[in-house]
Amino acid sequence: MGLITKAPRGTLDKLPGEIHKYQHIEGLAREISGRYGYREIRTPVFEHTELFKRSVGDTTDIVQKEMYTFDDKKGRSLTLKPEGTASAARAAIESGLINDALPLKLCYITNCYRYEAPQSGRYREFTQFGAEVYGANTPTCDVELIALAYDLFTRLRIPDERYKIEINSIGCPECRAEYQKALREYYVGFADKLCGDCHERLNRNPMRLLDCKVPNCGQFKENAPTILDYNCDPCREFFAGFKSGLDSLDIPYTVNARIVRGLDYYTNTVFEFVAKDNGLVFGAGGRYNGLIKELGGNATAASGFALGIERIISLPEAVFPPPETPDIYIAGLGEAAGSLALKLVQGLRGAGVWAECDIVGRSVKAQMRYADKIGARFSVVIGDNEVESKTAVVKNMQTKETREVALDSFNLMKAILPFE
Ligand code: HAM
């Protein structure tokens, strides 16, 4: 197939047969976020490259290997968003929202871009639904974020037994420094067996050693020191508060001391939503108390998560309502009937009904074949007799039941909509 009829590698067309799933998740995400007080924000698809270097981190795989970076015509380095947190934080600082009423709660649905090796559930263009809170340095804030995501999974009918909420605490910069030291001491013993990237990680950011995807490097993770053993007392207390908050809401979770996350901005709480069947991580997040200051704002605690919408759709348990189909097709035979059909359709559309009629000039037989193909739930055929008598027969396309009704929008609507 030629290049122009093939989507770029790692991208997905979201076709009409699938789009209702995205709309359903996005609709629920907006509805639930609204109830928790998260207001939507939309940020540009590209940002200054420096933003991601400073936030996601220079030594992360995302920044080192996965960003779509380009120079614009004035030579400015820009990057397609690899994630939503940095942009939301930048916009909150730039707009001054972050100095307004705190806590500030924002949410977004945004396309993200990462040059990763495409495989099932891993794309180069994907969609994140994210929620971020600024100005609340409490375990309760992190509990609320998890509760929001849990609410969404529940509304999608994903049973608790099919996924895990894995949590961890990666401590504050002070206790993490101790951990990094211990990690470096541990890994130095295997330095000659590590890949080139890991050599650099060993010097610059030992925690990134735990993200290495090279199988040979992965084997050393097993016995590496774990961060929870290095949490200082205030960090332990924070984590205990987080766990008891989840307990009080009956939200099930497991502690996984190996979660360190692949982005550098995290402090304290981190978590991942993991499908039990195949280990797919369909959402993740955590606290990032240092980021706002790092980006030039006043020191402000922050926390959030992002869910991969494509990954949620791929979960076999997620339940979606069926795609919508037209409520009614009104076929017309002849000029007078065609013009009446158009008028009736217009009236029905104005009343909120999905109504269709012929716009091609087809025979009645071809119109009915089309009505069948597009899945119209009801149909009506109008000819000269119907125009004359101002009545017609409405047919339920599935049950084949028929009913004679007066030919006006209101009576047609009454005949096809269930009035309980
Ligand atoms: P992340 O773990 O890099 O975190 O991505 C969050 C979610 O985005 C993943 O759990 C996954 O569902 C989805 N995702 C990531 N990469 C891909 C991909 N290549 N293809 C499909 N889906 C993908 C973040 O991005 C943080 N900004 C989360 C956060 C928000 N932390 C605090 N606030």
Side-chain angles (χ1 to χ4, degrees):
M1 209 186 300
L3 270 186
I4 56 165
T5 49
K6 199 164 170 28
R9 196 164 138 71
T11 66
L12 272 182
D13 290 319
K14 284 131 193 178
L15 300 173
E18 280 281 297
I19 204 73
H20 64 289
K21 297 184 181 174
Y22 291 86
Q23 289 168 339
H24 183 60
I25 294 189
E26 290 166 12
L28 280 179
R30 288 199 173 96
E31 179 204 319
I32 297 170
S33 300
R35 276 197 275 106
Y36 284 72
Y38 291 70
R39 289 175 303 153
E40 186 171 344
I41 182 169
R42 298 186 192 183
T43 57
V45 76
F46 54 81
E47 295 274 2
H48 295 291
T49 302
E50 193 56 28
L51 173 67
F52 301 115
K53 288 192 175 167
R54 285 281 279 277
S55 52
V56 174
D58 255 347
T59 54
T60 58
D61 271 4
I62 295 180
V63 169
Q64 288 203 335
K65 302 178 187 167
E66 296 169 4
M67 295 206 304
Y68 281 88
T69 297
F70 57 96
D71 284 350
D72 72 5
K73 289 189 197 298
K74 286 265 168 68
R76 286 173 285 237
S77 180
L78 300 172
T79 292
L80 299 185
K81 266 189 274 196
E83 55 110 52
T85 306
S87 300
R90 195 264 312 134
I93 298 169
E94 185 177 348
S95 63
L97 278 176
I98 199 129
N99 305 318
D100 253 13
L102 293 182
L104 169 67
K105 300 182 187 181
L106 300 177
C107 67
Y108 50 85
I109 295 172
T110 187
N111 282 3
C112 299
Y113 301 84
R114 296 186 192 176
Y115 192 83
E116 292 195 80
Q119 51 176 260
S120 160
R122 198 196 284 158
Y123 306 102
R124 290 182 175 168
E125 180 188 64
F126 57 96
T127 323
Q128 283 189 346
F129 158 59
E132 315 281 356
V133 188
Y134 311 90
N137 191 16
T138 61
T140 313
C141 165
D142 299 349
V143 170
E144 182 185 86
L145 282 161
I146 299 267
L148 196 171
Y150 183 66
D151 225 345
L152 176 62
F153 304 147
T154 307
R155 291 283 294 280
L156 287 167
R157 312 259 193 280
I158 306 170
D160 290 0
E161 308 80 56
R162 310 307 302 191
Y163 71 100
K164 283 189 287 188
I165 302 176
E166 297 197 329
I167 63 169
N168 193 18
S169 167
I170 59 166
C172 59
E174 286 74 41
C175 59
R176 188 140 18 108
E178 288 302 306
Y179 175 62
Q180 301 256 42
K181 211 165 111 198
L183 212 51
R184 188 175 285 124
E185 277 164 16
Y186 167 79
Y187 270 97
V188 158
F190 313 107
D192 54 336
K193 299 191 181 74
L194 298 175
C195 71
D197 283 349
C198 277
H199 268 284
E200 200 184 322
R201 292 174 178 134
L202 192 55
N203 294 322
R204 291 183 61 195
N205 191 349
M207 244 163 83
R208 294 277 74 86
L209 287 159
L210 301 167
D211 298 331
C212 185
K213 290 171 190 114
V214 175
N216 192 49
C217 298
Q219 61 175 317
F220 304 115
K221 270 187 233 173
E222 187 89 354
N223 298 317
T226 54
I227 184 89
L228 275 183
D229 295 332
Y230 289 81
N231 271 198
C232 60
D233 285 345
C235 287
R236 270 179 220 277
E237 213 174 289
F238 195 99
F239 193 48
F242 176 49
K243 288 189 290 186
S244 72
L246 292 176
D247 289 336
S248 73
L249 293 186
D250 287 326
I251 298 178
Y253 62 87
T254 20
V255 175
N256 177 354
R258 296 267 166 220
I259 297 179
V260 291
R261 308 283 298 119
L263 302 88
D264 275 352
Y265 45 61
Y266 291 107
T267 53
N268 299 93
T269 314
V270 286
F271 51 84
E272 291 183 345
F273 304 105
V274 190
K276 280 194 185 165
D277 281 352
N278 53 8
L280 187 76
V281 179
F282 56 91
R287 180 156 284 284
Y288 48 98
N289 287 346
L291 183 66
I292 301 300
K293 184 144 187 272
E294 178 66 32
L295 296 181
N298 297 326
T300 308
S303 194
F305 69 76
L307 311 178
I309 297 188
E310 291 78 4
R311 291 194 184 175
I312 295 180
I313 286 175
S314 77
L315 297 175
E317 298 81 12
V319 177
F320 298 96
E324 279 188 43
T325 54
D327 294 309
I328 187 164
Y329 187 96
I330 305 184
L333 171 66
E335 209 167 297
S339 115
L340 178 58
L342 184 63
K343 224 169 151 175
L344 289 168
V345 159
Q346 190 64 8
L348 286 166
R349 287 171 179 167
V353 172
W354 182 359
E356 296 283 348
C357 66
D358 180 49
I359 54 168
V360 183
R362 285 182 176 135
S363 69
V364 165
K365 205 169 154 201
Q367 289 183 46
M368 290 312 292
R369 247 198 323 265
Y370 178 71
D372 207 34
K373 256 195 192 159
I374 60 175
R377 294 191 305 115
F378 290 88
S379 66
V380 182
V381 178
I382 312 178
D384 288 343
N385 288 345
E386 284 76 13
V387 174
E388 182 93 354
S389 69
K390 297 194 173 59
T391 59
V393 172
V394 175
K395 181 171 166 191
N396 181 320
M397 297 284 273
Q398 224 167 27
T399 62
K400 311 290 178 211
E401 274 171 283
T402 57
R403 186 191 312 182
E404 187 165 327
V405 297
L407 256 189
D408 58 66
S409 301
F410 181 69
N411 278 294
L412 282 170
M413 196 166 79
K414 269 201 338 194
I416 65 167
L417 291 184
F419 282 95
E420 272 114 30

